[in-house]
């Protein structure tokens, strides 16, 4: 049997219709297994016989555990590999690694720095490749965010999402989602920390940028932030100082809609990008968001393997 060749490197690889399909599937699967022990497979075990290799060139808790449990719940086999102990870590080319893994496993999830590496793996291998975070984007995270927002009773089209802080990989995928699914994204970033203009130019349908945190959160349905120092970036005092006015505080949340939700992909730094009062407060849905990484991953995997849509 030939494995279908669907990659999930960015949200546009799937497009709005397939994303909607995956989100609906995630909602259904989550409901269908409610009450089951977490290690029990879903009744249909649709990935029985398939193996996913996961390669981590950066640290991870949520992505690692959610993909691992997603494969188990779908009846498949997860294989976690630390890049540092692979020949990849000694300089074996990504393209050779892709060819070898394509002969032995059914799909690969790669977390890395340079986005070009996931692209090379997709171009040179012959199995589905999933982006588990690059310096450019984090599409799997945003699938969980979308699922969380829907579960909390909000319909995506027409919403206003407010981003505060660093113009990073997570913001890029939110901007892309806004363009594909019809919600607006206003990012408040300090000068010098804007999202990548080349990326935003490709997905600017519903995106705007401001320097004013109040303008971003005004009438916002969703308020979202992330660490000010992403993995691989130097810890710079100047950056932290520039970010401070963009901290998500109770006062800032009060300027958003009264029923606004607070999202954070985690890991979080209380007292930096968000106060403890907000992230541990009533508008925060971060634990649902983290759990939904698992449910969203399952639908992403099914789509990649050609078993959905
Ligand atoms: N949000 C997220 O990707 O978390 P991890 O870095 O723990 O995988
Ligand atoms: N922007 C963060 C996200 C971590 C999940 C990083 O790249 O480190």
């Amino acid at each position: 049997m030939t494995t279908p060749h669907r990659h999930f490197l960015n949200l546009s690889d799937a497009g709005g219709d397939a994303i909607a399909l995956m989100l609906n599937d995630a909602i259904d699967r989550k409901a269908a297994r409610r009450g089951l022990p977490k290690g029990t497979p879903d009744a249909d075990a649709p990935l029985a016989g398939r193996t996913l290799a996961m390669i981590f060139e950066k640290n991870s808790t949520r992505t690692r555990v959610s993909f691992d449990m997603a494969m188990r719940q779908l009846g498949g086999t997860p294989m976690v590999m630390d890049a540092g102990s692979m020949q990849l870590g000694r300089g074996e080319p990504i393209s050779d690694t892709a060819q070898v893994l394509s002969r032995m496993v059914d799909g690969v999830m790669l977390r890395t720095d340079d986005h070009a590496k996931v692209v090379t793996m997709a171009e040179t291998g012959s199995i589905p490749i999933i982006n588990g975070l690059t310096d450019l984007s984090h599409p799997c995270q945003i699938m969980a965010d979308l699922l969380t927002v829907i579960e909390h009773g909000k319909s995506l089209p027409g919403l206003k999402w407010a981003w505060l802080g660093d113009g990073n990989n997570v913001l890029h995928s939110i901007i892309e989602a806004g363009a594909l699914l019809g919600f607006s994204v206003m990012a408040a970033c300090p000068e010098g920390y804007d999202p990548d203009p080349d990326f935003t130019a490709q997905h600017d349908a519903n995106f705007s940028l401001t320097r004013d945190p109040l303008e971003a959160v005004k009438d916002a349905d969703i308020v979202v932030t992330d660490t000010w120092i992403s993995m691989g970036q130097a810890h710079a005092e100047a950056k932290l100082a520039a970010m401070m006015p963009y901290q998500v505080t109770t006062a800032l949340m009060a300027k958003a809609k009264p029923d606004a939700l607070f999202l954070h992909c985690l890991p979080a730094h209380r007292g930096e990008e968000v106060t403890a009062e907000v992230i541990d407060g009533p508008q925060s849905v971060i634990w649902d968001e983290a759990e939904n990484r698992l449910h969203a991953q399952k639908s992403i995997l099914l789509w990649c393997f050609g078993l959905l849509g």
Side-chain angles (χ1 to χ4, degrees), residues 167-222:
N168 68 12
N169 46 5
V170 174
L171 173 59
H172 289 155
S173 291
I174 292 176
I175 291 169
E176 192 176 16
L180 292 170
L181 299 167
F183 59 83
S184 75
V185 180
M186 188 180 282
C189 306
E191 208 170 334
Y193 300 101
D194 292 348
D196 178 350
D198 292 336
F199 189 89
T200 54
Q202 289 169 45
H203 308 286
D204 63 355
N206 296 311
F207 174 63
S208 54
L209 184 64
T210 176
R211 301 278 171 240
D212 180 3
L214 289 174
E215 187 189 1
V217 297
K218 186 174 185 298
D219 298 323
D221 301 277
I222 308 296

Side-chain angles (χ1 to χ4, degrees), residues 38-259:
K38 296 181 183 68
T40 303
D42 290 356
D44 55 347
L47 293 190
R50 286 192 165 91
T51 297
L52 177 77
M54 290 177 262
I55 305 173
F56 288 93
E57 292 196 313
K58 290 179 168 183
N59 292 26
S60 171
T61 297
R62 281 144 287 266
T63 304
R64 175 178 170 155
V65 177
S66 59
F67 267 112
D68 194 309
M69 290 305 294
M71 282 304 289
R72 291 170 199 248
Q73 291 188 0
L74 292 170
T77 304
M79 180 191 292
V80 179
M81 293 187 292
D82 171 15
S85 63
M86 295 172 67
Q87 297 293 7
L88 188 63
R90 292 181 58 242
E92 184 170 15
I94 283 272
S95 49
D96 288 2
T97 306
Q99 302 248 29
V100 172
L101 292 179
S102 295
R103 299 291 182 100
M104 298 191 192
V105 299
D106 301 290
V108 173
M109 188 237 74
L110 175 60
R111 168 169 285 201
T112 187
D113 43 18
D114 186 356
H115 191 79
K117 293 187 189 175
V118 292
V119 173
T120 300
M121 190 158 265
E123 285 174 353
T124 51
S126 54
I127 52 176
I129 306 299
I130 298 174
N131 170 7
L133 179 148
T134 65
D135 289 348
L136 185 71
S137 58
H138 197 0
C140 294
Q141 176 66 50
I142 301 325
M143 292 298 287
D145 291 9
L146 298 172
L147 182 56
T148 306
V149 167
I150 293 169
E151 268 187 355
H152 280 269
K154 296 185 192 296
S155 164
L156 295 171
L159 292 181
K160 178 182 179 184
W161 290 46
W163 174 272
L164 283 302
D166 193 24
N168 68 12
N169 46 5
V170 174
L171 173 59
H172 289 155
S173 291
I174 292 176
I175 291 169
E176 192 176 16
L180 292 170
L181 299 167
F183 59 83
S184 75
V185 180
M186 188 180 282
C189 306
E191 208 170 334
Y193 300 101
D194 292 348
D196 178 350
D198 292 336
F199 189 89
T200 54
Q202 289 169 45
H203 308 286
D204 63 355
N206 296 311
F207 174 63
S208 54
L209 184 64
T210 176
R211 301 278 171 240
D212 180 3
L214 289 174
E215 187 189 1
V217 297
K218 186 174 185 298
D219 298 323
D221 301 277
I222 308 296
V223 177
V224 54
T225 188
D226 185 16
T227 181
W228 290 339
I229 312 286
S230 283
M231 289 182 278
Q233 295 178 345
H235 193 92
E237 290 307 321
K239 184 173 186 184
L240 297 184
M243 291 289 162
M244 208 58 212
Y246 298 83
Q247 183 185 61
V248 181
T249 61
T250 303
L252 199 63
M253 281 301 290
K255 303 288 182 191
K257 284 190 180 162
D259 65 346

